[in-house]
Amino acid sequence: MGSCRWLLKWCCSYSINFADKIIINLEKKRHYTIPIFIPMEACPFQCVFCDQKKISGKSRVSPAEDITSILHLHLSTIPENNTEVEVGFFGGTFTGLSSEKQIAYLESVLPFVENGKVSGIRLSTRPDFISTDILALLKKYPVTMIELGAQSMDDEVLKKSGRGHSSMDTEKASKMIIDTGFSLGLQMMIGLPGDSAEKSIETAKKIVELGAIETRIYPVIVIKGTSLEDLFVRGLYLPMDLETAIRVTKNLITIFDDSGVKIIRIGLHPSKGLLDKTDYIAGPFHPSFQELVMTSVWTDRFRGLLNEKSGDFIQLRLNPSDLHPAIGYYGTNRKLLENHFRFVNFVTDPEIKEKTFYADYH
């Protein structure tokens, strides 16, 4: 029986009679980040959506003297070969801490960097808590990445959300971070008060323009005890539904992917209070939100296959990292293809570029 081979890329374009691949065997290092949470520490503002203790699932700030034991514990579970480990200070405004406390945290990690167990430090903070003095302090330590909670690049959205900083603050801080030699990460949220799909797209484009190499995308959830709960109860705020949040996020992925900005997280960490609904009021929370989004991304990629003659055999070859999203949440995409082809098979090949797949028909 005849067969034809197709290569489908991110944009779902087709290429016929593709030549054999040039095989380059490069083993990628497995990356690990050991998280140290400092929820709500040093932040002078209370954004309408925010209760970091509930969002992160952490109510206790990790004291600097506990860092050594925390790192030893985590490192004992991480393979030593072909891995890269960094320490991340998350959840609060790291650079809003006193310089003494910042130094204590950074000094606690330093021995692990010096002995080669840890490659560097990343931290998250606010755009308006970046200055030349702060960056000079951080430069004395193995800090490699600074993430800013930009959340939006629309000033109306920032004001309605009680962020306490402007888009210009983010622009200035981003430039200072890059100019000082740090890598830049910019976080964004979708569904903030006054936000829209169009504004979210503009925020994503601005994140690319500012030189971020990484981003996180968080849909807004109404958490119990926040100002947003009050606005929601009074009918002054309407959260996104899950379907809309998936669609908006999918459009943002295209922007970041086309620009080479790595998306390191999609959706909130599924804390106990969100999972058991004790802290959840409303909004597009799902414990597998990222999986739902990536399932939808691959559904769109596979739609071109459905134009082929139905009832045939199809084998899809892709990178191992793409296998689960390609098959889809609870097999969504496999079932879609099985409704069109008599037999569907997924196989992995580490030499195939990520977000690319081959479809073989017989």
Side-chain angles (χ1 to χ4, degrees):
M1 296 180 66
S3 67
C4 63
R5 182 169 295 170
W6 302 78
L7 171 66
L8 284 84
K9 294 190 175 180
W10 176 260
C11 59
C12 297
S13 61
Y14 294 83
S15 176
I16 306 176
N17 299 324
F18 205 79
D20 290 339
K21 304 186 300 296
I22 298 174
I23 298 175
I24 302 175
N25 187 16
L26 295 175
E27 189 176 7
K28 292 174 62 177
K29 282 190 175 183
R30 186 103 183 253
H31 185 86
Y32 295 86
T33 299
I34 299 176
I36 308 295
F37 289 96
I38 49 171
M40 297 300 290
E41 186 80 349
C43 185
F45 299 97
Q46 184 67 56
C47 304
V48 295
F49 54 81
C50 191
D51 187 326
Q52 280 286 0
K53 293 178 182 179
K54 292 177 179 177
I55 291 173
S56 67
K58 302 286 182 178
S59 58
R60 176 177 175 269
V61 177
S62 302
E65 55 268 25
D66 287 357
I67 301 299
T68 298
S69 58
I70 292 172
L71 296 186
H72 277 304
L73 179 62
H74 278 275
L75 287 169
S76 68
T77 67
I78 297 174
E80 293 188 10
N81 296 327
N82 204 43
T83 57
E84 181 181 53
V85 181
E86 67 177 356
V87 173
F89 290 103
F90 299 123
T93 304
F94 186 88
T95 57
L97 299 169
S98 67
S99 57
E100 291 77 16
K101 186 168 282 190
Q102 290 183 60
I103 290 171
Y105 276 121
L106 296 169
E107 289 281 354
S108 66
V109 181
L110 198 55
F112 294 88
V113 177
E114 292 172 343
N115 67 20
K117 297 292 185 181
V118 170
S119 63
I121 301 170
R122 69 186 302 141
L123 55 90
S124 61
T125 190
R126 292 172 54 90
D128 50 339
F129 276 66
I130 292 292
S131 67
T132 53
D133 289 342
I134 286 170
L135 294 174
L137 171 63
L138 298 179
K139 200 65 178 175
K140 296 177 181 178
Y141 295 91
V143 175
T144 57
M145 164 72 70
I146 299 176
E147 286 187 68
L148 299 178
Q151 315 313 7
S152 176
M153 293 303 293
D154 184 278
D155 285 324
E156 179 189 8
V157 173
L158 293 173
K159 185 175 181 179
K160 288 184 175 181
S161 301
R163 283 296 293 165
H165 68 80
S166 67
S167 60
M168 184 58 68
D169 290 326
T170 301
E171 292 185 30
K172 290 179 179 178
S174 297
K175 185 177 187 306
M176 292 173 65
I177 287 168
I178 293 174
D179 288 348
T180 312
F182 297 104
S183 295
L184 173 68
L186 290 173
Q187 304 169 10
M188 69 172 294
M189 303 183 75
I190 59 172
L192 289 164
D195 198 12
S196 65
E198 293 74 21
K199 288 182 178 181
S200 292
I201 287 174
E202 290 305 311
T203 290
K205 290 179 178 178
K206 194 66 179 181
I207 285 174
V208 172
E209 181 184 324
L210 290 175
I213 65 170
E214 292 182 352
T215 190
R216 301 174 194 259
I217 306 171
Y218 296 120
V220 176
I221 310 297
V222 182
I223 304 294
K224 186 175 294 185
T226 62
S227 298
L228 201 59
E229 179 189 11
D230 180 60
L231 293 175
F232 173 71
V233 170
R234 292 162 55 199
L236 300 177
Y237 172 75
L238 181 65
M240 281 183 167
D241 58 54
L242 185 61
E243 183 179 344
T244 300
I246 290 172
R247 185 178 68 251
V248 171
T249 303
K250 189 167 57 173
N251 291 334
L252 300 178
I253 288 174
T254 301
I255 294 170
F256 291 129
D257 238 48
D258 289 347
S259 304
V261 177
K262 183 179 180 181
I263 303 172
I264 56 177
R265 184 164 188 88
I266 299 172
L268 288 175
H269 174 76
S271 66
K272 181 179 182 298
L274 290 177
L275 290 172
D276 64 17
K277 304 296 185 181
T278 56
D279 295 329
Y280 172 82
I281 299 297
F285 174 73
H286 192 286
S288 300
F289 182 76
Q290 179 163 332
E291 189 176 356
L292 291 175
V293 173
M294 295 312 300
T295 293
S296 184
V297 167
W298 279 88
T299 299
D300 290 347
R301 294 181 189 176
F302 288 148
R303 291 199 189 280
L305 298 174
L306 305 184
N307 295 325
E308 301 301 317
K309 181 180 178 181
S310 63
D312 294 330
F313 165 90
I314 185 171
Q315 178 167 276
L316 302 165
R317 296 187 294 115
L318 33 72
N319 188 280
S321 66
D322 292 324
L323 178 62
H324 292 299
I327 291 174
Y329 184 68
Y330 279 96
T332 298
N333 292 328
R334 178 189 286 278
K335 293 171 184 175
L336 174 71
L337 293 167
E338 285 176 343
N339 287 334
H340 194 74
F341 298 97
R342 279 201 304 266
F343 182 77
V344 177
N345 189 38
F346 289 83
V347 295
T348 60
D349 182 349
E351 292 156 6
I352 294 177
K353 186 179 178 181
E354 292 180 8
K355 300 170 184 174
T356 300
F357 71 90
Y358 288 83
D360 297 325
Y361 306 92
H362 296 283

